[in-house]
Amino acid sequence: MRKSTLEEVAAAAGVSKMTASRALRGAADVSKETRAKVLQQAERLSYVGNRLALSLSSQRTNLVAVVVPSMSNIVFPEMLAGISAGLRGSGMQAVFGISDYDMAKEREIIRDMLSWRPAAIIVTGLDQPAETVRMLQNAEIPVIQLMDLDGTPIDFNVGLSHGKAGEEMARALLAAGRRRFGYIGSAIDRDLRAGKRKAGFEKALRESGLSFVEERFNAAYSSVAHGKRLTMSMLAATRDLDCIYYSNDDMATGGAFACLELGVSSPADILIAGFNGLDVARALPVRIATSISPRRQMGEAAAALLLAASRSDGNPPSEKIIVFDPEITGVD
């Protein structure tokens, strides 16, 4: 069956080929009425355009490259959902790669994605090595670093301070009367944002003359199973704790299951504390203290920022850093 052409779409919509092309790309100077008419005819004719060919004049596609460290944690799919929602109706399409918290793999993914000539790129965090930073600086497209504010951004930055989040959680727990803390973490050497939260938490403890009584770590990625196993190990070594702080809510959920299995009263005896504010943690019969990270909202904000930057005609948006503050719940 023969494919429909752009010329046929333009003729059916009663516009020029150039106008049809711009309408299909979501160009800002095409009226809503004209764009709707072109899209209607494109759908009727089952037209599928060549995005690369449509963008030869600008040497850019309408792709937005997004690099995330993992898809096994619900945090990142929710962030991607926010980006997709923010781009809806813009003519831009997000494509993503997964780095597995590996900086070398992240660099190669970014290199490959930049070869596609994306309109913008979104990367997770602010801790890319110098070679990756130079590559992003030389890309000559909007670069949005997402989810973290602790560092020096390349261009645009949307997120929260993980060091501050750790400090504020520790201060809230101290104010609630907790004094003997354990820590359980996963892949801390690669999950740099979890490491920043731990460092912030420890800073607040030091200011009160305290430190972690017990620590347990797992080299693999976070999971409920790892959180449970490490909590069982910690509580087998000591019950002289009144709070355990986890690298995230996945691990904390495992800790809650361990307490239930061991008959440890939580939060009366040991309060479980995590990060992210996941729905599964809120559904447990055991209360978990957590910092709620606005993942979808951060994705939507990043999309809005890159759309403003891509339409700025050389005058970038004045707001280049968007700050979110996580809400702490479950401490009292």
Side-chain angles (χ1 to χ4, degrees), residues 56-133:
L56 288 178
S57 60
S58 64
Q59 294 298 301
R60 298 290 175 206
T61 65
N62 282 346
L63 301 177
V64 175
V66 184
V67 185
V68 296
S70 170
M71 287 294 282
S72 62
N73 189 320
I74 190 62
V75 168
F76 299 107
E78 287 184 0
M79 183 192 78
L80 291 171
I83 293 171
S84 296
L87 293 177
R88 192 172 298 130
S90 70
M92 290 190 178
Q93 176 66 49
V95 294
F96 64 89
I98 303 170
S99 69
D100 294 320
Y101 291 99
D102 184 323
M103 291 293 188
K105 183 175 181 179
E106 180 186 63
R107 183 170 60 251
E108 291 310 307
I109 290 171
I110 290 172
R111 190 188 308 278
D112 286 344
M113 284 183 156
L114 290 178
S115 73
W116 304 344
R117 299 295 188 265
I121 185 166
I122 299 173
V123 295
T124 309
L126 292 162
D127 300 291
Q128 289 78 21
E131 181 182 343
T132 304
V133 169

Side-chain angles (χ1 to χ4, degrees), residues 247-258:
S247 53
N248 60 34
D249 279 0
D250 281 347
M251 300 289 282
T253 298
F257 282 123

Side-chain angles (χ1 to χ4, degrees), residues 196-269:
K196 291 174 182 179
R197 293 193 296 274
K198 179 176 185 287
F201 198 101
E202 288 177 308
K203 177 177 181 290
L205 291 185
R206 285 196 304 272
E207 291 172 354
S208 295
L210 300 172
S211 61
F212 286 120
V213 176
E214 287 280 335
E215 297 184 12
R216 293 288 188 279
F217 298 95
N218 188 79
Y221 302 133
S222 66
S223 72
V224 174
H226 292 321
K228 180 181 178 182
R229 178 179 59 80
L230 292 175
T231 305
M232 299 286 279
S233 171
M234 179 175 284
L235 295 181
T238 180
R239 295 290 181 91
D240 191 22
L241 300 169
D242 59 21
C243 183
I244 304 175
Y245 185 50
Y246 293 79
S247 53
N248 60 34
D249 279 0
D250 281 347
M251 300 289 282
T253 298
F257 282 123
C259 287
L260 287 168
E261 186 169 316
L262 294 171
V264 174
S265 177
S266 179
D269 295 330

Side-chain angles (χ1 to χ4, degrees), residues 73-75 78 147 160 162 165 169 197 245-253 272-284 288-298 326-330:
N73 189 320
I74 190 62
V75 168
E78 287 184 0
M147 299 194 81
L160 58 92
H162 289 264
M169 175 58 83
R197 293 193 296 274
Y245 185 50
Y246 293 79
S247 53
N248 60 34
D249 279 0
D250 281 347
M251 300 289 282
T253 298
I272 303 298
F275 178 84
N276 273 324
L278 301 185
D279 287 343
V280 64
R282 292 199 291 268
L284 290 170
I288 290 180
T290 190
S291 304
I292 302 175
S293 62
R295 302 168 294 278
R296 183 182 177 94
Q297 293 93 322
M298 286 192 283
E327 175 190 359
I328 294 175
T329 64

